[in-house]
Amino acid sequence: MIILSKVSSLRDALETHRVSKLNISLVPTMGNLHQGHLKLVRAARKNSDIVVCSIFVNPLQFGPNEDLENYPKTLEADEDKLREAGCDFLFLPEVEEIYGTSMEEQTLIRVPGITDGFCGTSRPGHFDGVATIVCKLFNMVQPNSAFFGLKDYQQFLTIKKLTRDLSLDISIEGVEIERNSEGLALSSRNSYLTAEELALAPLIYENLMEVSNRVLQGERDFRDLEKSAIEILKAAGLHPEYFSICNAENLKAAQQEDNHLVILAATKLSICRLIDNIRFTLPQ
Ligand code: PAF
C-alpha cells in the first residue's frame, strides 16, 4: 500500500492507472477503522482494480461543540488493517493540504432538501462539510465508484444527490451496516461509551427491528409506532432525538402508499450520539 499526503502526488500516482483504463474506487473515511470500514474496503476491492482509501478528520463537518479535538485516532492500526483488506493507496492529507490556510473562505457544497431534518437539524452545517469534502475527494481521486456505509443513511442519500446534481460520473455504492453481536451498529464513536452504556445501546436496533416487523405485519399507524418507540427508549434511560418512519428515497414522513421505507433513529447516550436505521420494502 502506497501512502500519500499531497494531492499532486495522489493525482500523479493514479494517472497511469486511469490512462490504462483501470477501474478506480474510493473509500473515504475519518480513520479509527472498524469492521464496518473494512467491509467498504473489501467491497471496493471486489469491484475495482485500484482501491484508494482516505483518512481525513474533516474539520468542516464538526460543529463548534462537537468532538473534533477528541476524535479517536489510531493511524498505525488503521494502516495495518487497510493493507490487510487490500487497499492500494492511502491518502492521508493534512488539513492545510485540503483547505489551505483559511477554512472560513472555503467554497461550500450545499445539498438542499435531503439534508433538512434529522442530523441536518441537530448538526447545523454538518452536511455542507460532508458534501464539500466528498466533492473535493471526488475531484482529487476521480474514482469510477465510491463506497459509503449505510449506517449514515442521510449522508448516503446526500452524496447520491450531489453526484447526480453535479453530473459526476461516479457510481455511489452503499454497504450494509456492520453490527456487534448484540446488534449495536459499529461506529468509531462507540469507544466513548462506558460498559453500562454499551449494554443499553443495542436497544436502538431492537426497537428498529420491532417496529419494522410490526409494519411488515400490516400496522400502518406510523406516527403512533414512532411515539411508542421513543417512549420505550426514554424509559430505558436513552435520550432519543428522533425515531422516524420515512420514505427511503426522500426521507419524507412515510405515507400509506410508500413501500420503500427506512426507519431512522438518533439517540444521545451521555456524550455519545448514536445513529442507526433499518430499511425494508413492503409487499405490493
Ligand atoms: O462517514 C464519514 O466517515 C465521513 O462523513 C466522510 C464520508 C468520510 C466524510 O468526511
Side-chain angles (χ1 to χ4, degrees), residues 28-30 37 54 56 58 61 71 126 129-130 133-134 137 148 152 155 159:
T29 81
M30 299 206 300
H37 295 111
S54 59
F56 179 64
N58 174 34
Q61 70 187 73
Y71 197 82
H126 168 69
V130 170
I133 187 62
V134 168
L137 289 167
F148 296 88
D152 300 296
Q155 167 175 284
I159 293 165

Side-chain angles (χ1 to χ4, degrees), residues 228-264:
S228 58
I230 286 179
E231 288 315 316
I232 291 170
L233 293 173
K234 275 188 185 160
L238 294 152
H239 302 279
E241 227 173 60
Y242 56 79
F243 190 102
S244 304
I245 308 172
C246 304
N247 175 304
E249 270 102 49
N250 57 24
L251 301 190
K252 300 241 185 294
Q255 304 300 317
Q256 301 301 320
E257 62 276 13
D258 291 333
N259 65 335
H260 294 302
L261 300 181
V262 60
I263 312 179
L264 298 174

Side-chain angles (χ1 to χ4, degrees), residues 5-268:
S5 59
K6 299 287 174 211
V7 177
S8 55
S9 15
L10 177 72
R11 286 200 165 120
D12 288 349
L14 293 176
E15 185 55 21
T16 47
H17 300 302
R18 195 168 295 108
V19 168
S20 313
K21 298 256 178 282
L22 292 185
N23 198 289
I24 299 172
S25 61
L26 170 66
V27 182
T29 81
M30 299 206 300
N32 189 237
L33 304 180
H34 51 64
Q35 284 306 319
H37 295 111
L38 300 179
K39 200 167 171 177
L40 305 181
V41 181
R42 290 194 198 100
R45 178 73 283 161
K46 210 166 144 200
N47 289 286
S48 48
D49 305 308
I50 303 291
V51 177
V52 181
C53 294
S54 59
I55 296 183
F56 179 64
V57 182
N58 174 34
L60 206 58
Q61 70 187 73
F62 286 77
N65 299 319
E66 294 187 8
D67 56 346
L68 174 62
E69 297 310 324
N70 302 323
Y71 197 82
K73 292 188 185 67
T74 49
L75 189 54
E76 246 175 72
D78 290 352
E79 288 177 13
D80 291 344
K81 288 176 188 170
L82 287 176
R83 260 185 217 102
E84 208 178 309
C87 172
D88 298 303
F89 293 96
L90 169 59
F91 182 47
L92 203 59
E94 295 290 340
V95 173
E96 208 174 315
E97 180 67 10
I98 299 291
Y99 293 120
T101 47
S102 158
M103 231 169 48
E104 292 71 38
E105 302 273 294
Q106 170 64 46
T107 300
L108 295 177
I109 305 283
R110 193 177 67 83
V111 185
I114 200 75
T115 57
D116 297 341
F118 309 110
C119 293
T121 304
S122 48
R123 304 186 68 189
H126 168 69
F127 286 118
D128 295 355
V130 170
T132 303
I133 187 62
V134 168
C135 202
K136 282 167 83 79
L137 289 167
F138 283 175
N139 286 328
M140 292 165 187
V141 176
Q142 295 178 38
N144 302 90
S145 54
F147 291 74
F148 296 88
L150 290 170
K151 181 173 80 69
D152 300 296
Y153 189 68
Q154 192 177 12
Q155 167 175 284
F156 173 71
L157 292 184
T158 300
I159 293 165
K160 269 189 103 86
K161 183 172 191 301
L162 101 83
T163 308
R164 212 171 39 240
D165 288 356
L166 299 180
S167 309
L168 304 178
D169 189 15
I170 300 171
S171 157
I172 305 301
E173 307 293 338
V175 176
E176 198 41 76
I177 300 172
E178 189 71 12
R179 301 181 179 280
N180 73 9
S181 53
E182 270 78 58
L184 173 64
L186 297 192
S187 160
S188 300
R189 290 184 168 107
N190 290 354
S191 62
Y192 300 151
L193 296 172
T194 63
E196 211 174 293
E197 290 161 355
L198 267 174
L200 267 184
L203 254 187
I204 304 167
Y205 184 51
E206 275 172 37
N207 273 274
L208 287 169
M209 292 274 282
E210 163 76 16
V211 173
S212 64
N213 284 333
R214 287 171 66 172
V215 174
L216 280 164
Q217 279 158 20
E219 287 193 43
R220 288 294 176 273
D221 202 335
F222 298 141
R223 307 296 85 85
D224 263 10
L225 286 165
E226 291 166 348
K227 264 190 224 141
S228 58
I230 286 179
E231 288 315 316
I232 291 170
L233 293 173
K234 275 188 185 160
L238 294 152
H239 302 279
E241 227 173 60
Y242 56 79
F243 190 102
S244 304
I245 308 172
C246 304
N247 175 304
E249 270 102 49
N250 57 24
L251 301 190
K252 300 241 185 294
Q255 304 300 317
Q256 301 301 320
E257 62 276 13
D258 291 333
N259 65 335
H260 294 302
L261 300 181
V262 60
I263 312 179
L264 298 174
T267 303
K268 281 278 249 185

